[in-house]
Amino acid sequence: MFEQTFVEGTAKTSKPWTVFLSFVFQVMVIIVLILIPLIFTDTLPRAQLTSFLTAPPPPPPPPPPPPPAAPKVVKVIPRQFDAGKLMAPKTIPKEIANIKEEELPPPSSSGVVGGVPGGVPGGALGGVLGGVIGAVPTAAPPPPPVKKEEKPATPQRIRVGGQVQAANLIRKVTPVYPQLAKSARIQGVVRFTAIIGKDGTIQNLQLVTGHPLLVEAARQAVSQWQYKPTLLNGEPVEVVTQIDVNFTLSQ
């Protein structure tokens, strides 16, 4: 069916020269398209060409090294004297220093005009200590300082036994026997430790042992006691002692 449609038509294209012309035309078009970019290179993008053709820039050079430090010049001053001897300079100095010696003080004229009877001709003025008899004596050396004896420091507080300190008791107040303890027939010893001040009064009274019914009465009585001040090296001191208060039913 297709053969009848294309072959039997009036316009036939089966001539060989038309095919050849068509082939030649297509080849020429392809050649022209290839040659145009090679001939007109100015129309190509320059940015891409320079990026492709130019080499990357070299890295920056390293910074120069720091300059070397200037060496310190130590100026050596030549010594003029060595062990008390004048040294000759190794080089001729530009400036010459003037050495001036200090003038000696004038001799003291403490002698007597015409000399001293019994003196020696040519002797020293004023005489010499331990020299010839008749010379003027010099002042004797001062005596050594006398050391003061330091007294040992007196302690501020000492400890004394209760029986020893009882001899210095000036005023003694007898405690009142509590009625409740007497009814319960309670008796015994109430013991305190106390500090007797420099004026002889009772200070810092503390309970050691004793029946609770007898403690308060004993405390009130002992706090009123008065002692003779205790002296140590002539100075009053505080005394730590023990005080006993006896409660008996017979009193």
Side-chain angles (χ1 to χ4, degrees), residues 113-249:
V113 179
V116 180
V120 179
L125 294 176
V128 180
L129 183 63
V132 183
I133 299 174
V136 179
T138 57
V146 180
K147 295 183 179 180
K148 295 182 179 180
E149 296 182 358
E150 296 181 357
K151 296 182 180 180
T154 304
Q156 298 295 323
R157 182 179 298 175
I158 60 175
R159 180 177 293 273
V160 178
Q163 296 180 357
V164 176
Q165 191 64 21
N168 296 328
L169 186 60
I170 300 174
R171 179 189 177 201
K172 182 178 180 181
V173 177
T174 304
V176 178
Y177 209 117
Q179 189 65 33
L180 183 59
K182 187 178 290 187
S183 300
R185 302 189 64 80
I186 296 173
Q187 60 183 359
V189 179
V190 179
R191 180 169 296 169
F192 297 99
T193 58
I195 297 177
I196 301 175
K198 296 180 180 181
D199 56 351
T201 57
I202 299 294
Q203 301 175 4
N204 196 16
L205 190 64
Q206 295 182 359
L207 175 66
V208 177
T209 182
H211 197 279
L213 295 178
L214 305 174
V215 169
E216 190 59 32
R219 186 188 300 273
Q220 292 180 2
V222 172
S223 60
Q224 301 177 30
W225 289 7
Q226 182 72 30
Y227 286 84
K228 182 181 179 181
T230 302
L231 300 178
L232 183 63
N233 296 331
E235 297 181 4
V237 293
E238 295 180 347
V239 176
V240 181
T241 186
Q242 178 178 304
I243 300 175
D244 294 340
V245 181
N246 295 321
F247 286 90
T248 57
L249 294 175

Side-chain angles (χ1 to χ4, degrees), residues 17-35:
W17 62 273
T18 57
V19 176
F20 178 75
L21 289 176
S22 174
F23 177 75
V24 171
F25 178 75
Q26 292 177 4
V27 170
M28 291 178 66
V29 169
I30 293 172
I31 291 172
V32 170
L33 293 176
I34 293 174
L35 292 176

